[in-house]
Amino acid sequence: MDNLNYGIIGNCRSAALISKEGSIDWCCLPQFDSTSIFAKLLDEQKGGSFEVHPKGDYAIEQEYYRNTAILITRFTEGDNIFEVHDFMPRHHKMNGKYKAQPEIIRYVKYISGEPKFSVKYDPKLEYGLGATKHFVKEDFIASLTHKLKYDTLFMYTSFDKKGVLEGDEFILKEDGYFLICYNEKILKPTTDTMGLELERTKVYWLDWAAKTPNYQKFKDDIIRSAITLKMLTYDKTGAVLAAATTSLPETIGEVRNWDYRFCWIRDASMVIKVVSELGHKNSAKRYLQFIIDLMPDKDEKLQIMYGINKEKTLTERTLNHFDGYKGSKPVRVGNAAYKQRQNDIYGILMDVIYEQLKNFSNDIENVEELWSITKGIVWIVGKHWEEPDKGIWEFRGEDKHFTFSKVLCWVALDRAIKVAKMFGKTRKLERWTALEQEIKEDIHKNAWNNDINAFVQSYGSRHLDASVLLMEPYGFIHARDPKYVSTVKAIEEGLSNDGLLYRYKNEDDFGLPSSSFTICTFWFINALFKIGEEEKALERFERLLSYSNHLGLFSEDIDFKTKRLLGNFPQAYSHLALIECAINFSKKQGDEKILESIG
């Protein structure tokens, strides 16, 4: 089954997807949201790729070098064995900063025998909108396009350059390399220097992973997800991407295809909260600075999403020349959702601000800016919480009073009150507390449906929605409160399908959803765990982990019937929720071990 069997490599500047067979099928340079140099993922013929073709009947295996972002594809035919170690260089420099160049290194490692292979080096610059021509120079292969926009790409290699372009067969007798870079190199690379880049990058990732706590259960799953989330952060500004791709469809052949190479305040804040819990405070500090930079004025309203370089206008357009993933059109770049109003973002942002202040108060330098933002958020929520919005799922139809949005407005007040108490700022507390209570009473009055015996999607509706499961994690309601327990039961009955969850089942702007939104299943598993059904939760969690691809990676969606991965990939949402679940189960086991030792 085609299960998005790709690995991701990256260096917090850009990323690339490499197939199980060792083909680079997606990469944008010089940064995540640039135009593509390889996009076979979105069009087999017009997208471009960098493929490795072993000559003979080779078995192919793929894995990450443990606890790193270095992907190893191993080719074996009897004694003829070689490996391709793919990575984007990232390591510390002497001045304490990081080296993270816009380039991919494919280090070809000789193992044994006389392995034979050829390559298909076929970059198509600028989304393949114009012809890309290749020129063999003394030190490199230059690729050039200039029909619509001028752009170039350089490839250095230890193999014969003309033979690379013509697909000649190579007999491997020693290590070699391919270096694909956006900028021409000043110093000519060699196999030795590329090997050094490999080792330095390996050390960086091993050091980073070693800072993550060693949990009792699902340790490898937590580490792989954490590294994936790290690769989806953009060092330059602190932004966090929703995913590394655009236009991978939620359902094959349908039109729910979106560009996710942007920073959603909701997704990013949730990611940073989890990454902080894992002890990686630098990512949190950079993200908070990203937010501060977005809100220079005290009455600045947050958009739901921004470009990774803080762009506010994300004009959506289609690439009509691309056939789309498995024929799923349209292929979109940009995202029109940036214009939407979603009132939940203030609560999610306020929650992450509170968590950072609570956990890293001695290391946060911009507390006065954060206090100004806190007051501004309360002012905005106080003015707008009673208004309808598009909701967490970004419905493109009419605005409604979505329950999740209202709950997160309550969260904004709850966390703001906690922050005020931390700072000893009591002047506004009485007014803020009254507003917090007013919002809470409004939710209990209007979001609860007695007939269904559950909190529903929006005020006055009968529709269930997986997002209301987050009422408990955000502290709005206790896990054992009968209203929450009955809501979990109603969602299990109404939204569960063969162990996977719908986000909702009412028709939206594009009809009835036909695939499961992966994070919702993780939310449901957490809810089962919290209401005391721990064995069922663990069984569901282990079954869900089995639906990952061969490297333990998840996309946005899973097909209910075939269990194939769908949607943009890898998805930050899915991996942050995986970590939350795994930590819950690991903490439970840890508590049991402590009790056993006491006994």
Side-chain angles (χ1 to χ4, degrees):
M1 179 178 69
D2 184 350
N3 200 34
L4 281 174
N5 286 321
Y6 285 93
I8 181 174
I9 60 171
N11 61 0
C12 304
R13 182 165 179 169
S14 187
L17 296 187
I18 299 167
S19 76
K20 199 174 184 178
E21 293 75 34
S23 174
I24 304 178
D25 288 353
W26 175 255
C27 182
C28 300
L29 290 181
Q31 60 192 37
F32 291 105
D33 60 350
S34 300
T35 56
S36 62
I37 60 169
F38 302 118
K40 184 181 177 183
L41 186 68
L42 297 177
D43 192 298
E44 293 272 342
Q45 303 302 320
K46 297 186 283 289
S49 61
F50 185 1
E51 303 170 20
V52 179
H53 296 152
K55 299 300 180 180
D57 188 19
Y58 279 75
I60 305 176
E61 300 171 291
Q62 193 176 62
E63 64 180 356
Y64 281 104
Y65 189 93
R66 184 176 171 82
N67 293 352
T68 75
I70 298 166
L71 189 63
I72 301 173
T73 310
R74 186 179 180 92
F75 300 85
T76 304
E77 183 194 50
D79 293 332
N80 302 322
I81 305 171
F82 71 103
E83 294 175 344
V84 178
H85 294 223
D86 284 305
F87 64 100
M88 299 183 83
R90 179 175 174 82
H91 50 78
H92 291 282
K93 297 195 293 187
M94 295 295 288
N95 61 6
K97 295 183 179 180
Y98 298 103
K99 177 182 178 181
Q101 300 293 94
E103 55 195 41
I104 300 170
I105 296 175
R106 314 202 76 180
Y107 190 85
V108 184
K109 189 172 183 62
Y110 171 78
I111 304 297
S112 64
E114 290 190 348
K116 300 175 183 178
F117 73 97
S118 64
V119 298
K120 179 183 179 183
Y121 180 65
D122 185 30
K124 296 185 184 296
L125 309 186
E126 296 291 320
Y127 294 124
L129 285 165
T132 297
K133 296 182 179 180
H134 309 294
F135 303 92
V136 176
K137 304 295 184 180
E138 182 179 352
D139 292 336
F140 52 78
I141 297 169
S143 300
L144 169 70
T145 185
H146 56 74
K147 182 177 180 181
L148 299 175
K149 182 182 174 184
Y150 174 79
D151 206 359
T152 55
L153 187 71
F154 303 91
M155 200 265 269
Y156 297 80
T157 181
S158 58
F159 301 96
D160 180 72
K161 293 182 286 296
K162 189 168 181 284
V164 166
L165 282 180
E166 295 180 355
D168 289 353
E169 181 179 290
F170 299 111
I171 301 175
L172 192 64
K173 297 180 180 179
E174 59 184 2
D175 292 0
Y177 74 91
F178 300 95
L179 167 63
I180 307 109
C181 43
Y182 189 72
N183 300 307
E184 183 179 346
K185 306 302 287 184
I186 299 299
L187 299 176
K188 184 179 177 181
T190 65
T191 302
D192 286 343
T193 59
M194 294 299 96
L196 183 58
E197 288 292 304
L198 173 62
E199 296 305 317
R200 284 173 169 166
T201 300
K202 188 184 299 180
V203 167
Y204 167 81
W205 286 109
L206 290 172
D207 281 345
W208 189 90
K211 296 172 186 172
T212 302
N214 195 4
Y215 289 96
Q216 297 287 338
K217 294 192 73 176
F218 305 110
K219 178 174 62 177
D220 291 342
D221 301 288
I222 291 171
I223 290 288
R224 180 50 48 204
S225 290
I227 290 173
T228 302
L229 293 178
K230 176 64 175 173
M231 280 192 277
L232 292 174
T233 63
Y234 182 55
D235 252 4
K236 182 179 176 182
T237 63
V240 182
L241 284 80
T245 56
T246 179
S247 301
L248 296 185
E250 295 179 23
T251 301
I252 301 297
E254 293 190 5
V255 297
R256 300 171 193 258
N257 317 323
W258 316 109
D259 192 347
Y260 275 18
R261 297 171 297 158
F262 302 109
C263 181
W264 271 259
I265 298 300
R266 180 194 308 108
D267 303 40
S269 297
M270 288 180 171
V271 167
I272 290 301
K273 185 177 178 181
V274 168
V275 169
S276 297
E277 186 169 350
L278 296 177
H280 299 288
K281 62 183 179 182
N282 286 338
S283 295
K285 289 171 71 174
R286 281 194 292 271
Y287 177 66
L288 287 180
Q289 189 59 53
F290 176 75
I291 295 298
I292 289 168
D293 292 345
L294 290 174
M295 301 180 73
D297 301 318
K298 292 179 181 178
D299 67 343
E300 181 89 14
K301 292 182 179 65
L302 268 181
Q303 295 180 187
I304 68 164
M305 60 189 293
Y306 294 86
I308 59 173
N309 284 300
K310 308 171 193 171
E311 300 93 338
K312 295 183 178 181
T313 302
L314 309 174
T315 305
E316 186 176 297
R317 60 190 177 95
T318 58
L319 300 177
N320 295 319
H321 67 297
F322 274 170
D323 289 339
Y325 178 80
K326 306 299 179 186
S328 301
K329 285 190 171 187
V331 172
R332 292 181 170 95
V333 293
N335 197 307
Y338 79 93
K339 300 175 183 177
Q340 292 187 359
R341 172 196 284 177
Q342 295 174 22
N343 294 333
D344 63 287
I345 61 173
Y346 296 104
I348 287 170
L349 178 57
M350 201 59 245
D351 183 56
V352 80
I353 289 173
Y354 168 67
E355 290 294 327
Q356 300 320 303
L357 289 170
K358 183 178 72 173
N359 296 328
F360 306 120
S361 57
N362 293 332
D363 294 320
I364 294 178
E365 302 163 358
N366 37 29
V367 289
E368 291 173 352
E369 288 96 333
L370 293 177
W371 175 235
S372 289
I373 288 174
T374 297
K375 291 187 292 182
I377 285 175
V378 173
W379 186 85
I380 291 169
V381 170
K383 191 175 180 181
H384 297 289
W385 76 269
E386 294 178 284
E387 299 170 1
D389 69 344
K390 297 296 184 187
I392 184 174
W393 306 128
E394 299 177 1
F395 289 101
R396 295 197 171 190
E398 66 174 308
D399 291 3
K400 295 181 180 179
H401 294 279
F402 288 103
T403 300
F404 181 77
S405 295
K406 304 297 185 187
V407 170
L408 269 294
C409 286
W410 173 87
V411 171
L413 268 296
D414 179 76
R415 303 310 192 264
I417 289 167
K418 288 180 168 68
V419 169
K421 290 177 179 177
M422 289 173 66
F423 290 154
K425 300 290 187 180
T426 59
R427 183 168 53 88
K428 300 175 182 288
L429 281 183
E430 185 177 345
R431 190 165 74 249
W432 288 6
T433 302
L435 179 57
E436 176 201 27
Q437 193 59 34
E438 182 185 355
I439 296 172
K440 188 165 194 173
E441 290 172 359
D442 187 74
I443 293 166
H444 277 287
K445 177 183 176 182
N446 295 299
W448 178 260
N449 187 303
N450 282 317
D451 295 337
I452 298 172
N453 206 27
F455 289 103
V456 289
Q457 183 181 74
S458 60
Y459 284 7
S461 83
R462 298 177 58 85
H463 301 303
L464 294 168
D465 192 305
S467 66
V468 303
L469 293 170
L470 295 181
M471 285 179 149
E472 185 278 331
Y474 277 113
F476 181 83
I477 194 169
H478 192 275
R480 302 303 170 94
D481 187 303
K483 292 175 81 170
Y484 185 71
V485 174
S486 64
T487 298
V488 175
K489 296 292 188 182
I491 285 174
E492 180 174 21
E493 183 178 342
L495 296 184
S496 183
N497 180 343
D498 194 23
L500 300 174
L501 246 68
Y502 288 95
R503 285 178 283 184
Y504 46 83
K505 287 180 77 171
N506 48 302
E507 290 196 5
D508 60 16
D509 320 307
F510 302 97
L512 177 68
S514 55
S515 59
S516 171
F517 203 65
T518 306
I519 193 174
C520 295
T521 306
F522 283 120
W523 288 345
F524 176 63
I525 290 166
N526 261 333
L528 285 176
F529 181 88
K530 293 291 187 65
I531 67 172
E533 297 192 16
E534 294 165 10
E535 287 188 14
K536 182 193 283 189
L538 182 59
E539 184 274 326
R540 290 282 187 100
F541 183 59
E542 290 176 336
R543 195 196 317 174
L544 182 54
L545 290 182
S546 73
Y547 301 149
S548 73
N549 77 0
H550 65 298
L551 296 168
L553 301 180
F554 282 94
S555 62
E556 181 182 43
D557 306 275
I558 299 174
D559 186 272
F560 283 117
K561 292 181 180 178
T562 65
K563 306 300 187 288
R564 75 180 286 172
L565 300 182
L566 297 165
N568 282 310
F569 174 90
Q571 175 84 347
Y573 245 170
S574 300
H575 284 280
L576 76 88
L578 185 160
I579 292 171
E580 287 177 328
C581 277
I583 289 175
N584 275 339
F585 291 121
S586 189
K587 281 181 177 176
K588 177 70 177 179
Q589 190 192 54
D591 293 343
E592 288 170 351
K593 287 190 173 184
I594 291 169
L595 289 172
E596 287 170 8
S597 65
I598 292 172

